[in-house]
Amino acid sequence: MPADASKYKSITDAKDWRNPFLTIRPNGVGIRVRAISMSEERIIPIGDLKKTLTSLPLSAWPYGNVIVVSEIGIRSGGQEEAELIERNKKELKRILNSLGTTVEWWPSA
C-alpha cells in the first residue's frame, strides 16, 4: 500500500507515530511499531531488517509504506562508532529503497 501523507504529515511526536520507527545504531537498528503494541524498542542486526519489515502484519502500516528513521542521539563520540552508524545508515537506505518504502528522516533525540 503506498504511503498516504494525509494520514501522517501532521505527526511531529514519536509517541504518536504508529508505523515502524527505526533508530540507526552502531550495533544494528532499533525498531518500534506502536500499531501492533511493540512500543519497546527491539534491536535487530541490519541484515535482518528486510525480513523483519516484510514479516510485519498489514496492521503495522496504517499510513501505508512509510517509515520514520532517526539516528541514535546519545553517542560516545568515537570515530569507530560514527563509522558503524554510517555503514548501517547506508545499508538501511539500500534496504528501504529496495522495498519502495518512503522514508521520513527525523532528527535524533
Side-chain angles (χ1 to χ4, degrees):
M1 175 171 45
D4 184 349
S6 69
K7 293 181 178 179
Y8 66 85
K9 278 298 185 182
S10 64
I11 299 172
T12 58
D13 193 318
K15 71 177 177 51
D16 298 322
W17 184 261
R18 299 191 47 79
N19 270 31
F21 188 111
L22 303 178
T23 304
I24 303 168
R25 299 172 158 275
N27 60 336
V29 179
I31 181 171
R32 287 187 310 259
V33 190
R34 286 192 169 83
I36 58 169
S37 299
M38 201 170 116
S39 57
E40 292 290 319
E41 183 178 64
R42 187 173 53 138
I43 300 171
I44 60 171
I46 193 74
D48 291 349
L49 181 60
K50 186 172 186 174
K51 180 179 77 169
T52 299
L53 292 176
T54 57
S55 70
L56 292 173
L58 190 57
S59 61
W61 303 92
Y63 314 133
N65 191 13
V66 60
I67 202 161
V68 162
V69 179
S70 172
E71 292 183 21
I72 189 165
I74 300 173
R75 300 182 186 196
S76 68
Q79 182 63 28
E80 180 182 355
E81 181 184 51
E83 290 171 1
L84 290 169
I85 289 170
E86 192 56 36
R87 186 186 73 211
N88 285 341
K89 184 176 184 177
K90 184 177 179 181
E91 181 63 9
L92 178 137
K93 286 179 179 179
R94 188 193 67 72
I95 292 166
L96 296 179
N97 187 53
S98 77
L99 295 171
T101 303
T102 299
V103 177
E104 291 289 322
W105 292 96
W106 284 11
S108 56

